[in-house]
Amino acid sequence: AAGRVVSRRETLLMITWRRHAPMPCTFARRMLHVVQGQGIPVSSSVSWVHCRGLSRKRHKSSTSSALASGQELASLHVPVMPDEVLDLWLPKGATVQETLRKKHLVDGTIGLGGHTSAMIKLAGQRSTPVKILGLDRDGDALSLAHERIQSDCLQDAMRVEFHRGSFADISPGLLEQQGFPSNGVDGIFIDLGMNSLQIDDSSRGFTFRRKGPLDMRFDRISTKSRARDVVNGYSAKELAFIFREHSDEPLSEEIAAYIVKWRKEKFGRRQQRKPNDGIRTTLELRYAIEEAVEQAMMAKGGGVGKSSDPAFKKFRQIWHHSNGRTLPQAKKTKYMKQFEERRLRHPNPVMRVFQALRIEVNSEIDQIAMLLQGSAPTTCLGIGGRLVVLAFHPGEDDLVRQEMARLVECGTHKLLTPEVDGVRPTQKEIKFNGRSRTARLRAIERIR
């Protein structure tokens, strides 16, 4: 492909190959540059697939240092259900006067600015003047969102005001302080998911695929409790409760009991651990969960297939102090590398436990309840204003559904989305962006 013009069909085939088979980073980078150099338009989906593949090889301890420009940021982070969100957040006016009226919008979780950037572009196409207030608990995300919006929207970036805080803080006082009407906002959008860079940045502790500290805090200044404090400080009963309530984990009691046992084990000097030092990293927690699931399944007469994995057997010899001293350091390094590179066969229990810890650390359920039971849906929204919520977890979605149903029963709001299932992403989007597979979109409109 390097010496000739690449057709659109060949480009699609190469990108499809990149998504389903491993390919060296150098070739992937060269492929994208060749395609761009031949004058073929490269969509954000192509760039995102390319950068997502490279992110596995290029681990950065700092999120901001992993990005060189707002364009790279736009390709790394793909907003979920953007078309559906924009249609509900900023509906097209029934009349020309309504379309041209200035709109005041609030993005309660601006993240990396994906939905806000798309909103500014849509408003420009419709000639609708907008002013947007973007909030986020993550200071790093606010800085990156500002960079992205400046890169994507240029002069229109002045339409966005940034404020560090939670969406639960939305109130007439905050709106008035930021120069917005305290009782006339036209739309509030809340994205309860995580941005891609929070997941990919191992130093934040959200991912279980790479080693990092057990942190998981969105706001690393105001939030004092970390995931490490929860894992090592909660009792087995308390851990089982949050695993069951926040992530519907069927093996919550078995995993909680094994975590408590794991954190109390004594390790040898070669592991540089002290007795009762607890679980300190994301990989340690992942290994504890995997072994807990394996033992639970074996006890029930099943099995998760790990016993046939030679790398896993060697890993168990490395980790447990009883046999760890019998292996030379070179073999330890070799087997640990093999173990890290093998595909994670049963991610669901690990994903659910990490999700439950993240929800517990950041008090996400309480934040959602404060938003929906506070003044945001009523006082802050003007007549005809809309509250749009994008949820990814069943517990969060159930709370959103119940609170929206309560507001509808009161006669102050009307429901804009299906009552039971909400709006789900299309199969095309799920195939393109796998992180959208659990998303549910719900919206209500204030009528009086």
Side-chain angles (χ1 to χ4, degrees):
R4 55 185 173 81
V5 176
V6 182
S7 68
R8 294 178 183 272
R9 181 175 181 274
E10 287 173 328
T11 304
L12 179 60
L13 289 176
M14 287 190 292
I15 295 301
T16 304
W17 179 33
R18 177 67 190 96
R19 294 193 66 183
H20 295 283
M23 190 167 60
C25 292
T26 303
F27 183 80
R29 189 184 299 110
R30 187 182 305 160
M31 179 188 70
L32 188 65
H33 290 336
V34 168
V35 172
Q36 291 175 328
Q38 297 294 346
I40 299 176
V42 178
S43 65
S44 60
S45 63
V46 174
S47 301
W48 174 79
V49 172
H50 164 70
C51 294
R52 183 184 180 190
L54 291 183
S55 65
R56 298 176 184 172
K57 302 288 183 180
R58 187 175 52 188
H59 305 326
K60 296 290 184 180
S61 59
S62 173
T63 303
S64 58
S65 63
L67 300 175
S69 66
Q71 293 179 348
E72 286 191 27
L73 179 60
S75 63
L76 279 168
H77 176 68
V78 181
V80 175
M81 302 176 66
D83 296 335
E84 295 86 345
V85 168
L86 297 183
D87 288 342
L88 291 169
W89 194 15
L90 184 67
K92 191 173 183 179
T95 63
V96 176
Q97 292 78 5
E98 177 64 22
T99 301
L100 297 179
R101 182 177 66 85
K102 185 175 183 179
K103 303 294 194 303
H104 294 85
L105 306 173
V106 177
D107 189 344
T109 50
I110 194 169
L112 297 181
H115 290 101
T116 298
S117 178
M119 171 59 69
I120 295 175
K121 294 177 182 179
L122 177 63
Q125 294 173 2
R126 295 179 179 177
S127 300
T128 302
V130 296
K131 186 177 181 181
I132 302 176
L133 173 62
L135 293 87
D136 205 284
R137 301 168 69 181
D138 190 340
D140 294 339
L142 276 179
S143 300
L144 293 172
H146 187 267
E147 179 184 352
R148 174 176 185 168
I149 291 173
Q150 280 189 328
S151 174
D152 289 355
C153 306
L154 300 178
Q155 68 272 12
D156 293 331
M158 300 298 295
R159 301 181 179 183
V160 184
E161 298 290 337
F162 296 91
H163 176 76
R164 183 168 186 173
S166 170
F167 55 78
D169 300 332
I170 298 175
S171 63
L174 175 63
L175 295 176
E176 189 173 357
Q177 178 185 355
Q178 298 296 323
F180 285 70
S182 59
N183 59 351
V185 173
D186 297 285
I188 299 176
F189 170 62
I190 308 296
D191 184 349
L192 299 178
M194 300 170 58
N195 64 64
S196 301
L197 294 182
Q198 285 176 330
I199 300 175
D200 295 335
D201 184 6
S202 58
S203 67
R204 302 298 299 272
F206 292 108
T207 179
F208 55 85
R209 299 187 183 278
R210 294 187 296 276
K211 184 178 180 179
L214 273 175
D215 195 331
M216 298 192 188
R217 294 174 297 173
F218 290 146
D219 187 349
R220 289 182 283 186
I221 296 179
S222 301
T223 306
K224 302 303 180 182
S225 177
R226 300 167 298 175
R228 179 183 175 183
D229 302 325
V230 175
V231 170
N232 296 307
Y234 281 27
S235 65
K237 185 176 180 180
E238 292 171 327
L239 288 174
F241 175 80
I242 65 172
F243 296 160
R244 182 174 58 254
E245 292 297 318
H246 295 339
S247 63
D248 301 322
E249 173 53 52
L251 298 175
S252 58
E253 295 182 0
E254 290 85 348
I255 294 175
Y258 199 85
I259 287 176
V260 172
K261 175 186 175 182
W262 182 284
R263 72 192 188 193
K264 291 181 179 179
E265 288 185 357
K266 295 181 180 180
F267 297 86
R269 288 188 302 171
R270 293 202 177 189
Q271 282 75 30
Q272 298 180 353
R273 299 291 302 277
K274 297 179 180 179
N276 300 320
D277 197 22
I279 299 175
R280 299 183 298 179
T281 67
T282 54
L283 289 187
E284 290 177 14
L285 178 59
R286 188 187 97 182
Y287 300 149
I289 298 169
E290 288 179 340
E291 285 209 358
V293 173
E294 180 188 17
Q295 291 191 6
M297 297 300 292
M298 291 296 181
K300 295 180 180 181
V304 296
K306 293 266 179 66
S307 58
S308 61
D309 190 342
F312 189 76
K313 287 184 177 180
K314 293 297 182 182
F315 162 74
R316 295 178 69 175
Q317 293 180 8
I318 295 169
W319 188 259
H320 290 290
H321 65 92
S322 58
N323 297 325
R325 298 177 183 176
T326 62
L327 292 176
Q329 186 63 38
K331 285 192 175 182
K332 287 184 181 182
T333 304
K334 175 184 175 182
Y335 290 137
M336 285 300 293
K337 183 177 180 180
Q338 292 176 355
F339 184 80
E340 290 302 323
E341 290 177 351
R342 78 172 169 83
R343 183 179 178 182
L344 188 61
R345 296 183 178 181
H346 299 273
N348 289 341
V350 182
M351 292 173 64
R352 286 194 289 264
V353 170
F354 270 67
Q355 182 183 60
L357 290 173
R358 188 203 77 210
I359 292 174
E360 178 70 14
V361 168
N362 296 285
S363 304
E364 295 181 37
I365 299 297
D366 296 337
Q367 296 281 320
I368 299 170
M370 291 173 60
L371 168 76
L372 297 174
Q373 297 171 6
S375 59
T378 53
T379 308
C380 296
L381 278 179
I383 302 299
R386 296 184 170 190
L387 173 63
V388 183
V389 181
L390 183 62
F392 294 82
H393 175 250
E396 296 173 341
D397 181 66
D398 287 342
L399 178 59
V400 172
R401 177 178 55 82
Q402 294 170 8
E403 290 299 326
M404 285 188 172
R406 178 183 62 82
L407 292 171
V408 171
E409 289 179 1
C410 293
T412 57
H413 297 72
K414 70 176 181 179
L415 195 62
L416 302 175
T417 54
E419 181 178 359
V420 179
D421 294 332
V423 178
R424 303 296 303 275
T426 63
Q427 289 299 319
K428 181 179 179 181
E429 180 173 2
I430 293 175
K431 185 177 180 180
F432 164 64
N433 185 6
R435 290 172 179 170
S436 67
R437 64 186 181 278
T438 60
R440 291 178 186 265
L441 183 65
R442 300 184 185 275
I444 52 176
E445 179 180 328
R446 185 181 176 188
I447 56 178
R448 67 177 179 87

